[in-house]
Amino acid sequence: MSEFTPPVREDLVGSAPYGAPQLDVPVRLNVNENPFALPDDIAVAMGRAVAAIAPDLHRYPDREALELRSHLAEYLKKESGVELAPEQVWAANGSNEVMHQLFLAFGGPGRTAISFDPTYSMYPEYARDTFTRYVTFARESDFSINIAVAIRQLKDLRPSLVLLTSPNNPTGTMLPTADLVQLLDAALAVGSVAIVDEAYAEFRTAGTPSALELLASYPNLVVSRTMSKAFGLAGARLGYAAASQSIVDALRIVRLPYHLSAVTQIVAITALQFSETLQAQVATLRSERDALAEWLSHQGYRVAKSDANFILFGIFADRDLVWQSLLDQGVLIRQTGPAGWLRVSIGTEEENDRFRQALVQATGTEQEAAR
Ligand SMILES: *Cc1c(COP(=O)(O)O)cnc(C)c1O
């Protein structure tokens, strides 16, 4: 066979595919999944719904996914009180795909996207894929955004995309509404699309408003959501966004034809009919999170204030050693965030207990190694 080196784009040579390790260990707390399996009755309803449409699978799906989008609009109204037309809601295979489409439509050569680090590690990849310049600014030591500095940067760089993540990953911290409004004003003034990534919105402290409430005032605002976290539906791959219709129309131009399979659409529609049951565990996860944050503080760690289903904590002299020791004990968490910090997703009560025990053990190992 003759030798062949595929002509990979120069800027991709040497890159590794993104992804946290998918290891088969007893306690998996590394990718912020919902730890609770779907209740049987919902799983059965999904199976029935798929069986009912299966004879039609010789046809392409509804390209515009309008039935799903109207169910999503209904859900958002229930969840946040904000009324949206189905045409203001867009859906794709995970919010990762929604965001990729936003970069395709609004990024591109000669254009800039800005974000505030530490933040979601996929953003630079969307920028790379779409030849968008990616500029990121450091957050303060409490992981808040310095608004005065951010506004100055917005005016200087005039980015076409601004990435605001709230609650932010990997820190779990919220962007206060007063700060968001100032950033949206500045973004609007320079013609930027502002994306508020609300992947973890359902875990926010009760009474905190969603950025959805600002959609009526800001035609440049996109609020991105997902069924991967609070809904416990990471395996179904369904993300969505709410925005002005002109932004949604731009996404319709860059999406691939029939991007959302009929199976995905019907599974998501079925899940939305059970949204309350599926999210019944959100309250449990929130109180488990607050209890774990308090325990970590008591152990002497620094703990970022989390409104999500994970906690960033540190600061370890050797986080890799701690991570490995946890893994050796069957507990998988995530090495992410600034040097010395680790992120743990909130699991079931039993999983969180196992994490606590393993961490006490791991910290002993780290201290011995330091001696
Ligand atoms: C998990 C996550 C998402 C959701 O990704 P999906 O593609 O919808 O599974 C989006 N943004 C952030 C910041 C996340 O952590």
Side-chain angles (χ1 to χ4, degrees):
M1 214 167 68
S2 41
E3 294 257 325
F4 177 67
T5 308
V8 176
R9 265 166 45 183
E10 279 82 4
D11 63 311
L12 298 181
V13 172
S15 301
Y18 169 86
Q22 288 192 305
L23 303 176
D24 191 14
V25 297
V27 182
R28 284 182 286 175
L29 302 175
N30 71 327
V31 288
N32 301 342
E33 291 155 333
N34 191 318
F36 297 100
L38 299 197
D40 280 346
D41 57 331
I42 301 182
V44 168
M46 275 177 186
R48 287 215 182 97
V50 172
I53 62 138
D56 299 325
L57 287 175
H58 66 116
R59 300 289 182 196
Y60 282 111
D62 172 11
R63 210 168 30 212
E64 299 296 338
L66 264 176
E67 190 187 344
L68 170 60
R69 287 159 66 195
S70 66
H71 284 284
L72 287 167
E74 259 170 57
Y75 166 71
L76 289 178
K77 178 159 186 234
K78 252 191 300 174
E79 199 270 337
S80 67
V82 176
E83 193 134 7
L84 297 161
E87 291 77 15
Q88 285 179 272
V89 179
W90 182 243
N93 297 283
S95 51
N96 268 278
E97 189 178 47
V98 174
M99 227 103 57
H100 208 254
Q101 292 170 338
L102 284 160
F103 272 72
L104 284 169
F106 301 107
R111 291 171 169 232
T112 302
I114 70 168
S115 73
F116 301 90
D117 258 348
T119 192
Y120 191 37
S121 47
M122 282 306 298
Y123 299 148
E125 302 212 359
Y126 313 143
R128 177 201 68 198
D129 292 353
T130 57
F131 303 97
T132 308
R133 182 162 76 120
Y134 184 72
V135 182
T136 189
F137 299 99
R139 288 170 185 260
E140 306 285 283
S141 60
D142 63 354
F143 303 122
S144 64
I145 296 175
N146 183 322
I147 299 302
V149 173
I151 289 173
R152 212 176 316 129
Q153 302 296 355
L154 265 166
K155 286 182 179 154
D156 282 354
L157 290 171
R158 308 179 74 84
S160 55
L161 286 162
V162 184
L163 298 159
L164 302 167
T165 318
S166 184
N168 183 46
N169 180 7
T171 61
T173 47
M174 289 289 289
L175 178 61
T177 303
D179 290 357
L180 173 59
V181 165
Q182 289 190 66
L183 292 171
L184 289 175
D185 282 327
L188 190 59
V190 297
S192 308
V193 169
I195 304 171
V196 180
D197 184 345
E198 288 196 346
Y200 301 97
E202 287 92 347
F203 296 103
R204 70 194 186 275
T205 305
T208 313
S210 157
L212 291 165
E213 293 185 23
L214 298 168
L215 278 171
S217 321
Y218 292 94
N220 62 328
L221 170 62
V222 180
V223 182
S224 167
R225 293 271 187 119
T226 181
M227 295 181 81
S228 295
K229 311 282 162 59
F231 272 91
L233 221 60
R237 309 304 300 128
L238 199 288
Y240 56 104
S244 61
Q245 200 180 328
S246 57
I247 288 180
V248 171
D249 284 344
L251 299 181
R252 291 171 58 224
I253 294 171
V254 297
R255 62 114 169 84
L256 295 173
Y258 314 108
H259 68 294
L260 209 49
S261 89
V263 174
T264 305
Q265 292 187 39
I266 199 68
V267 166
I269 289 169
T270 310
L272 286 161
Q273 284 159 357
F274 292 96
S275 62
E276 269 159 49
T277 315
L278 279 171
Q279 295 194 42
Q281 307 284 7
V282 166
T284 309
L285 290 168
R286 268 204 222 113
S287 62
E288 282 287 311
R289 169 196 69 206
D290 294 341
L292 184 57
E294 201 169 304
W295 181 83
L296 286 164
S297 299
H298 266 285
Q299 300 293 301
Y301 296 111
R302 269 188 66 193
V303 180
K305 168 81 186 88
S306 175
D307 268 87
N309 66 337
F310 56 83
I311 295 174
L312 188 73
F313 64 104
I315 298 170
F316 296 97
D318 187 346
R319 75 167 167 190
D320 294 346
L321 194 75
V322 175
W323 180 84
Q324 186 61 54
S325 167
L326 288 167
L327 184 57
D328 293 344
Q329 300 174 72
V331 179
L332 178 61
I333 67 165
R334 189 78 175 265
Q335 296 141 299
T336 184
W341 293 76
L342 289 166
R343 191 193 71 193
V344 62
S345 310
I346 306 303
T348 61
E349 199 180 332
E350 192 204 332
E351 288 172 326
N352 300 331
D353 279 342
R354 289 191 58 173
F355 163 72
R356 286 184 181 90
Q357 287 161 21
L359 184 65
V360 169
Q361 180 81 32
T363 316
T365 310
E366 192 207 20
Q367 280 160 0
E368 260 168 50
R371 240 181 256 139

